[in-house]
Amino acid sequence: MKSDRGLPVAIIGGGFSGTIVAAQLARRGIDNVLIEGSGRAGRGVAYSTREPAHVLNVCADVMSAWEDDLDHFVRVAEAEGATRRDFVQRMQFGQYLRRILDEALATGRTRLVQRLAMEAEPRDGGWRVSLDGGEQLQASALVLALGNQPPEPLPFGGGSTRVIDNPWGPEALAAIEDLAATNEDVLLVGTGLTMVDAVLSLDAAGHQGRIVALSRRGLVPRGHVDFEAAPVERGDIPAGNVRALWRWLRRRSAQVGWRAAIDSLRPHSHWLWQSLPQDQRERFARHARPWWDVHRHRIAPTVAQRLHELIAEGRLQIVAGRIQSVREEHDALSVVYRRRGSSTVQDERFAYMINCTGPLGRIDRTRDALLKGMLADGLARPDDMGIALDVDEHSRIAGSQRAWAMGPLTKGRYWEIIAVPDIRGQAAAVAEDIAMELKR
């Protein structure tokens, strides 16, 4: 088993979070190794799509990777023919991130290792990371930037190949190709952003069959439209109580429009979340989150228009309901479900069922080997809600020394930590904290 020379920082995960931390460290003259075994280094799952229909959910002018240069991506987009207010293709943003990674690699400060990290354990005041090929890397500090974990497998299908649990995996791509060739009906479980991407992929592939998207409430992300911003001061927002905040939001929406009201909370979201006691956070997650998500995390106007067109054509149906049973028969799935508010059930035939329920909701159910091992060994622990890792105000992992977490792995503390503006700020802060810890 080979052992590499020691490096100051090992970063696990090469999506947006890991790439920007690596680039921030390189800027500070700190050597680091970026470990990414999926072949998507610099892009991650979100920006590795090759589908032109998959566009950013926000305009180019908020997508800079650099906290101190907010027009960085705008200049790139404009040089490629877009404007700062365009919703550019996600693969274009992925190319932008890859260039940032390449620049970090060119400095000699960042090194890319395209292997899977299988285990991390404390060793000699730092960390030893074991890779899938048997190699081991020694580092003084560890950063977990693993992104959103894949959704939990659906409790249906009994291992059927027609039940696709990872909507971003090769099985999903193969299913979409098959559906485009056969025009069979497909059931998407979940009606959020993942569902939107799946619908766009099916539409772009030429699928003409029926798409049924089902969730308990049948809520779909709203589209962006132009509006006049209405910023608020922190002191004007009620903190510590979900119901009080919800009432304030309704009143504010009546005054300035719901988009302006919701977006006015953007600069205060971390503070608001941390102001809520545990029971109020759980209350928000149980009752308010579905409505918050579809209004807060909106989609490009062209995407919203295409969904409306597909619904009008009868090719897309949005259903609020619950699945009762699934059985495979005659090269298809027979799905029994009950619509919300109805006492009768429907039994329909689908060629495939695709899991679009969104990222894993409980971190202790992760299937990532390294993360599972750290949780089992007490080197990391779930946050109080169990949705991510327990971290402090510097994003340091509770239970370990010289270990940080990034992005969605810290949403228990920050809640809204999946968007580029949030993560780029966190990356800069984590890099600075590492520099202070290592006295660089």
Side-chain angles (χ1 to χ4, degrees):
M1 187 176 290
K2 296 171 61 180
S3 180
D4 199 354
R5 63 182 176 83
L7 289 164
V9 186
I11 304 165
I12 315 298
F16 180 80
S17 299
T19 295
I20 301 308
V21 169
Q24 287 280 1
L25 290 170
R27 276 189 167 188
R28 290 166 172 77
I30 300 175
D31 290 344
N32 60 87
V33 57
L34 185 66
I35 304 169
E36 171 59 60
S38 71
R40 296 187 288 243
R43 293 179 174 89
V45 173
Y47 306 114
S48 61
T49 176
R50 294 293 181 182
E51 177 52 64
H54 291 163
V55 298
L56 296 176
N57 293 324
V58 294
C59 298
D61 63 357
V62 299
M63 291 295 286
S64 172
W66 299 108
E67 183 79 352
D68 58 354
D69 184 0
L70 297 182
D71 277 344
H72 190 257
F73 180 63
V74 168
R75 294 194 296 274
V76 172
E78 289 177 342
E80 296 175 355
T83 73
R84 65 187 306 117
R85 299 302 297 166
D86 283 346
F87 296 79
V88 304
Q89 294 176 3
R90 289 216 302 263
M91 61 179 172
Q92 183 179 350
F93 188 73
Q95 293 163 358
Y96 164 73
L97 292 180
R98 180 65 208 206
R99 287 196 292 270
I100 289 175
L101 175 57
D102 288 341
E103 291 168 2
L105 295 172
T107 67
R109 293 294 185 180
T110 296
R111 171 186 163 199
L112 176 61
V113 173
Q114 300 192 71
R115 306 297 292 271
L116 290 174
M118 304 303 294
E119 184 180 20
E121 54 185 339
R123 182 60 58 93
D124 300 327
W127 289 87
R128 182 176 71 184
V129 180
S130 300
L131 308 180
D132 59 350
E135 184 181 6
Q136 293 182 335
L137 303 177
Q138 306 293 334
S140 299
L142 179 72
V143 179
L144 300 186
L146 294 165
N148 281 312
Q149 299 293 290
E152 191 165 0
L154 294 169
F156 312 109
S160 170
T161 57
R162 293 189 172 275
V163 178
I164 310 298
D165 278 314
N166 184 355
W168 301 110
E171 297 85 0
L173 295 177
I176 288 172
E177 290 181 3
D178 188 35
L179 286 161
T182 62
N183 289 321
E184 295 280 359
D185 295 347
V186 57
L187 176 64
L188 308 181
V189 182
T191 57
L193 293 174
T194 307
M195 176 276 293
V196 173
D197 279 350
V199 169
L200 293 176
S201 294
L202 286 160
D203 186 39
H207 176 253
Q208 296 296 312
R210 187 173 59 119
I211 304 169
V212 175
L214 180 148
S215 67
R216 283 189 295 169
R217 297 174 179 86
L219 297 174
V220 177
R222 276 38 173 183
H224 283 284
V225 299
D226 290 334
F227 63 89
E228 185 175 346
V232 295
E233 298 295 328
R234 178 180 294 187
D236 295 332
I237 308 169
N241 184 276
V242 171
R243 180 169 291 181
L245 178 60
W246 211 249
R247 288 172 175 166
W248 178 91
L249 191 57
R250 290 177 67 117
R251 291 194 302 271
R252 184 71 175 164
S253 296
Q255 296 167 354
V256 301
W258 66 262
R259 289 177 175 84
I262 285 178
D263 283 14
S264 72
L265 298 179
R266 186 83 172 84
H268 314 294
S269 60
H270 294 174
W271 167 77
L272 278 171
W273 178 253
Q274 291 164 12
S275 77
L276 297 174
Q278 182 66 20
D279 66 316
Q280 291 295 306
R281 294 185 188 187
E282 293 173 353
R283 182 183 183 89
F284 175 88
R286 283 196 309 269
H287 303 296
R289 178 183 178 180
W291 281 270
W292 173 261
D293 282 352
V294 298
H295 291 86
R296 168 68 185 87
H297 303 292
R298 303 192 288 277
I299 54 180
T302 55
V303 173
Q305 178 61 33
R306 186 57 186 150
L307 292 185
H308 287 308
E309 291 170 354
L310 291 172
I311 291 171
E313 294 168 10
R315 291 172 53 196
L316 172 62
Q317 297 177 10
I318 306 296
V319 175
R322 288 178 178 269
I323 295 175
Q324 305 293 301
S325 66
V326 178
R327 66 183 185 277
E328 185 170 10
E329 54 182 33
H330 307 303
D331 296 324
L333 298 171
S334 176
V335 180
V336 177
Y337 65 92
R338 177 180 286 112
R339 289 178 178 266
R340 190 179 181 95
S342 173
S343 59
T344 60
V345 298
Q346 294 176 238
D347 188 344
E348 298 186 6
R349 180 187 183 278
F350 299 97
Y352 291 95
M353 173 190 292
I354 301 177
N355 185 351
C356 297
T357 56
L360 184 69
R362 290 190 56 86
I363 198 65
D364 59 359
R365 296 177 182 171
T366 179
R367 284 162 280 168
D368 182 85
L370 182 142
L371 203 50
K372 283 178 64 176
M374 289 187 67
L375 288 166
D377 294 340
L379 300 173
R381 62 177 180 245
D383 58 63
D384 290 340
M385 292 186 66
I387 59 177
L389 298 182
D390 188 8
V391 297
D392 68 9
E393 66 274 16
H394 299 292
S395 300
R396 295 192 181 210
I397 298 173
S400 289
Q401 298 295 318
R402 290 189 166 185
W404 288 258
M406 282 290 305
L409 286 179
T410 65
K411 60 187 174 184
R413 168 168 283 274
Y414 302 110
W415 186 254
E416 297 227 323
I417 195 70
I418 58 173
V420 164
D422 294 313
I423 296 175
R424 72 184 175 214
Q426 185 187 34
V430 165
E432 188 62 28
D433 197 41
I434 291 173
M436 292 177 60
E437 175 70 22
L438 299 183
K439 295 181 172 56
R440 298 298 178 102

